[in-house]
C-alpha cells in the first residue's frame, strides 16, 4: 500500500472506501474498497476533496482480486464448466452440460493450502445438470502478489483438470429380471418400468428385458445372450438376498465376470453387486432400488456411464455418507447421501 496523488492514480486499486458528503443531503460511499481508478474518476475524487489516495499499484507486481479469481477459475476448470464474471472478487463455476462432477480432491487441498487462496465446491461424484452451481473461487486480500498466482496456477496444472463435468455415455442396457413369482406371472414386475425411467433420465436406453426363474443357468444364458446382442450394460434384478432361493450373485459369478464387490456399505443398497464381463458392467440390484428415490443405483451408475471403472475401494469408500436419513421429503442430491 502506498500514497499516490489522485492525478497519477489511474489503474491503481483503492485500499479503502471513499465517502462523499452532500451538504444538506446524503452521506455515502462514492468509491468502494477494491475499485480500480479510472480516468473519469479523477474529477470526482478532486471534487470531494481527495488530493491523495492509499492504493495498491498493479505495476508493482500485484494482481487485483477480480483478475485473480478469473485466473484461478480458468486454471482449475476443465470441460463442461462455465465461468461467471467476477462479482465482489468472486468467480462462480456452473455446470454447462449434463454429466458427472469430478474433482481432484488432493489438488483442491493443495490449492486451498496456499495462503490467501480459496476454492470451494460441492461434493464430487454426483450427476449435475446445466446451470447448477459447482464451485466458487476468490483470493482473500484486495490484491495478491504475482508469485502467489503463479504458484496457484502451477498446482492447478499439476492436477488438471481440477474440476470438470464428464459427459455420460449412452449405454445400451439389458435387464435380466429373476424370480419364479414374476416369471410365472404370479406378481407383476415393477423393476422394469423403473429402470427404463432411470436409464432414460441418464441418457441411456433399455434395449431388452428378459425374465427368468431362479435357476442359475437360465440367468447366465440371459446375461450372455444380451451381451452377444449388443448390450453394453447389464442390470440384474431380484434374487440378491441371502435366502437359499436367491441365486443371482451365483449366476453373475458363473458368467465368468470379474466380481468387484458383493455388498456395499450403503443403506439402501447393502445387497448390491458389481462385476465386469470384459468391459461390460453387470449390476446386481437389490429390491430397495425399486422403493427408494435415491439408492446405490444413483451413486454408482452415473460414475460408470461417465467412463469410470469402479474398484472395490470405490465401493468401500461409499460407507462415509452412505446412510440415507429417510427424510420426510427426499431432497437428493441436495443432501449428504453418497457424499
Amino acid at each position: 500500500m502506498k500514497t499516490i496523488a489522485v492525478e497519477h492514480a489511474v489503474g491503481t486499486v483503492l485500499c479503502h472506501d471513499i465517502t462523499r458528503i452532500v451538504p444538506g443531503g446524503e452521506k455515502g460511499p462514492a468509491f468502494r474498497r477494491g475499485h480500480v481508478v479510472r480516468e473519469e474518476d479523477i474529477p470526482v475524487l478532486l471534487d470531494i476533496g481527495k488530493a491523495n489516495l492509499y492504493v495498491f499499484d498493479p505495476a508493482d507486481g500485484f494482481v487485483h482480486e477480480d483478475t485473480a479469481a478469473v485466473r484461478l477459475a480458468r486454471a482449475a476448470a476443465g470441460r463442461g464448466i462455465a465461468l461467471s464474471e467476477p462479482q465482489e472478487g468472486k468467480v462462480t463455476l456452473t455446470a454447462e452440460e449434463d454429466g458427472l462432477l469430478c474433482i481432484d480432491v488432493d489438488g483442491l487441498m493443495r490449492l486451498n493450502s496456499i495462503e490467501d487462496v480459496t476454492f470451494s465446491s460441492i461434493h464430487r461424484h454426483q450427476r449435475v445438470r446445466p446451470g447448477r452451481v459447482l464451485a466458487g473461487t476468490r483470493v482473500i486480500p484486495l490484491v495478491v502478489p504475482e508469485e502467489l498466482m503463479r504458484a496457484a496456477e502451477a498446482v492447478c496444472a499439476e492436477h488438471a483438470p481440477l474440476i470438470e463435468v464428464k459427459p455420460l455415455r449412452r449405454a445400451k442396457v439389458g435387464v435380466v429380471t429373476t424370480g419364479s413369482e414374476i416369471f410365472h406371472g404370479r406378481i407383476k414386475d415393477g423393476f422394469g418400468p423403473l429402470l427404463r425411467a432411470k436409464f432414460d433420465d441418464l441418457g441411456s436406453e433399455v434395449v431388452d428385458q428378459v425374465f427368468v426363474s431362479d435357476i442359475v443357468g437360465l440367468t447366465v444364458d440371459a446375461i450372455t445372450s444380451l451381451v452377444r446382442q449388443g448390450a453394453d450394460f447389464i442390470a440384474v434384478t431380484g434374487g440378491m438376498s441371502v435366502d437359499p432361493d436367491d441365486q443371482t450373485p451365483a449366476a453373475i459369478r458363473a458368467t465368468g465376470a470379474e466380481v468387484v464387490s458383493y455388498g456395499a456399505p450403503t443403506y439402501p443398497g447393502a445387497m448390491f453387486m458389481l462385476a465386469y464381463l470384459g468391459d461390460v458392467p453387470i449390476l446386481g440390484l437389490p429390491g430397495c432400488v425399486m422403493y427408494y428415490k435415491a439408492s446405490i443405483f444413483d451413486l454408482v451408475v452415473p460414475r460408470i456411464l461417465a467412463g469410470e471403472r469402479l474398484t472395490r475401494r470405490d465401493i468401500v469408500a461409499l460407507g462415509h455418507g452412505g446412510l440415507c436419513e429417510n427424510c420426510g421429503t427426499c431432497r437428493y442430491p441436495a443432501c449428504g447421501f453418497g457424499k
Side-chain angles (χ1 to χ4, degrees), residues 35-206:
H35 177 73
V36 179
V37 180
R38 303 163 299 178
E39 188 71 44
E40 57 266 34
D41 298 332
I42 303 303
V44 179
L45 288 163
L46 291 171
D47 288 345
I48 59 179
K50 295 299 177 182
N52 298 287
L53 302 173
Y54 287 110
V55 299
F56 286 108
D57 191 346
D60 292 337
F62 289 97
V63 180
H64 185 265
E65 60 177 353
D66 286 350
T67 303
V70 170
R71 285 175 59 175
L72 284 170
R74 287 176 177 170
R79 60 184 166 178
I81 292 180
L83 310 181
S84 73
E85 294 296 322
Q87 293 186 341
E88 298 181 341
K90 175 189 171 187
V91 168
T92 300
L93 294 80
T94 57
E96 200 168 39
E97 59 187 58
D98 194 335
L100 182 77
L101 175 62
C102 297
I103 299 171
D104 187 322
V105 175
D106 291 337
L108 185 63
M109 178 71 77
R110 284 188 62 196
L111 184 62
N112 281 313
S113 295
I114 298 174
E115 189 171 0
D116 290 333
V117 171
T118 66
F119 197 106
S120 178
S121 75
I122 64 173
H123 285 95
R124 64 176 177 171
H125 289 159
Q126 56 179 303
R127 189 262 189 97
V128 294
R129 300 175 190 272
R132 184 169 179 188
V133 174
L134 309 178
T137 186
R138 67 171 302 155
V139 294
I140 300 303
L142 282 174
V143 293
V144 292
E146 174 65 30
E147 292 77 7
L148 180 145
M149 289 306 306
R150 290 178 181 173
E153 289 168 333
V155 168
C156 291
E158 289 179 37
H159 294 269
L162 188 74
I163 179 170
E164 67 175 328
V165 177
K166 291 183 178 178
L168 307 181
R169 71 179 177 90
R170 184 174 178 82
K172 297 178 180 178
V173 183
V175 175
V176 178
T177 299
T178 70
S180 298
E181 69 282 10
I182 298 175
F183 181 71
H184 293 294
R186 293 187 177 90
I187 66 171
K188 184 178 180 180
D189 168 53
F191 241 128
L194 174 79
L195 290 182
R196 290 180 187 277
K198 278 185 169 288
F199 278 110
D200 181 69
D201 182 58
L202 291 166
S204 292
E205 177 188 9
V206 174

Side-chain angles (χ1 to χ4, degrees), residues 2 24 63 91 99 144 150 178-179 183 188 198 200 211 243 248 261 271 278 282 289 308 316 320:
K2 64 183 180 181
V63 180
V91 168
V144 292
R150 290 178 181 173
T178 70
F183 181 71
K188 184 178 180 180
K198 278 185 169 288
D200 181 69
F211 297 89
D243 293 345
T248 298
S261 179
M271 306 307 291
I282 302 177
V289 173
E308 294 189 8
V316 169
H320 186 203

Side-chain angles (χ1 to χ4, degrees), residues 176-183 187 189 191 210 212-216 219 223 235-253 262-263 270-273 283-291:
V176 178
T177 299
T178 70
S180 298
E181 69 282 10
I182 298 175
F183 181 71
I187 66 171
D189 168 53
F191 241 128
V210 179
V212 296
S213 61
D214 295 304
I215 298 175
V216 169
T219 304
I223 293 172
V236 187
T237 71
M240 290 302 300
S241 78
V242 294
D243 293 345
D245 291 337
D246 288 342
Q247 297 295 313
T248 298
I252 292 174
R253 288 190 175 95
Y262 176 33
M271 306 307 291
F272 169 77
M273 190 174 200
L283 274 59
L285 298 175
C288 61
V289 173
M290 190 162 45
Y291 302 111

